[in-house]
Amino acid sequence: MAVADRIIVPLDVASEREALALVERLPQVTFWKVGLELFVSSGPGILEQLKQRQKRIFLDLKLHDIPNTMAGACRAAARYGVDLLTVHAAAGKTALVDCLEAAQTGAADVGIQPPQIIAVTLLTSIHARALAFELKVSLELTDYALQMALLAQESGLSGVVCSPQEAAALRQVLGSEFALVCPGVRPAWAGKNDQQRSMSPADAMQAGATYLVIGRPITAAAEPAAAFEQICQEISE
């Protein structure tokens, strides 16, 4: 897989118009993330627009509810033809298994390939102190992420979202075929923003990331296309 195809750029904007303007500015980007804000504001229309442009889609809704509700949402989302769809591992094994089966059913209903269901281990905005003192989780941060990833793998899911700082430990245990989608990736020349557990793109790839989610260093740059190319070059060196 080419380096450029392993970088997912978030469409973290408030409208379909803004999203499509960004897509037009970055024609070399093949994989786009549609998150909660854009999906809620524009609906599935943005997904159709991306598919018309032959783009891959990461529908990052981070579903977390009772199993029946999550499964229904996955069944519906699978019919849009997205490539990756996120759910929260903390919903439990029953929910994860039901989501996988529902996505397969939903895709089969319309004769397309089902999305890969990717479980969120722990948001990259959560640091070790917050995990221990706010969420009252006694495990070390990496151990907690690993347990959530193992639960996802045992449930038949295709991969997880994890911080690049946990990627090496997860890759060692989970094997080479399990997808690791890593947000919180920041080149040295970009700020961390609200990401508490970040890493450079090259280091994240070396740690075992399958895909890197890189937003503001690209989308907020004065020249987004040049920033994207610079990141690709840094990874390739």
Side-chain angles (χ1 to χ4, degrees):
M1 192 188 306
V3 168
D5 296 333
R6 297 174 66 182
I7 298 175
I8 303 174
V9 180
L11 288 168
D12 288 338
V13 292
S15 69
E16 183 176 312
R17 177 185 57 80
E18 293 173 279
L20 294 178
L22 190 54
V23 171
E24 295 302 321
R25 291 190 71 185
L26 286 159
Q28 65 273 66
V29 174
T30 62
F31 213 152
W32 292 94
K33 180 174 83 73
V34 174
L36 274 173
E37 181 180 9
L38 181 58
F39 190 74
V40 170
S41 69
S42 68
I46 184 60
L47 306 180
E48 182 60 32
Q49 291 289 338
L50 291 171
K51 287 183 69 64
Q52 287 178 8
R53 291 164 172 78
Q54 286 80 51
K55 303 299 184 181
R56 299 181 72 198
I57 303 170
F58 174 24
L59 185 55
D60 187 25
L61 301 183
K62 299 183 179 70
L63 300 170
H64 192 176
D65 210 305
I66 63 172
N68 187 61
T69 300
M70 289 177 68
C74 286
R75 186 179 300 108
R79 297 182 182 127
Y80 296 137
V82 301
D83 298 276
L84 304 180
L85 174 65
T86 49
V87 299
H88 267 285
K93 188 170 184 177
T94 297
L96 299 184
V97 171
D98 288 356
C99 284
L100 178 61
E101 294 176 352
Q104 292 170 342
T105 299
D109 287 343
V110 293
I112 60 175
Q113 288 292 317
Q116 291 184 298
I117 306 299
I118 306 294
V120 176
T121 55
L122 184 68
L123 299 174
T124 53
S125 58
I126 301 293
H127 49 73
R129 181 175 178 82
L131 183 69
F133 291 97
E134 296 176 17
L135 302 184
K136 306 302 180 185
V137 174
S138 59
L139 292 174
E140 293 293 329
L141 194 147
T142 299
D143 292 336
Y144 178 80
L146 178 57
Q147 289 304 311
M148 293 296 99
L150 285 169
L151 178 63
Q153 189 176 57
E154 291 166 4
S155 302
L157 272 57
S158 299
V160 293
V161 178
C162 66
S163 161
Q165 293 188 358
E166 285 95 61
L170 268 59
R171 176 63 68 210
Q172 184 175 6
V173 175
L174 300 168
S176 61
E177 299 301 316
F178 198 66
L180 301 182
V181 180
C182 294
V185 177
R186 294 285 183 271
W189 39 268
K192 283 187 176 182
N193 301 111
D194 58 354
Q195 302 289 352
Q196 297 295 322
R197 307 192 321 277
S198 62
M199 185 179 286
S200 75
D203 287 345
M205 285 289 195
Q206 185 65 33
T210 309
Y211 296 106
L212 307 180
V213 181
I214 307 177
R216 280 164 284 192
I218 297 171
T219 58
E223 296 291 340
F228 181 81
E229 295 296 344
Q230 182 178 349
I231 290 170
C232 291
Q233 183 63 36
E234 289 178 3
I235 294 171
S236 300
E237 289 176 351

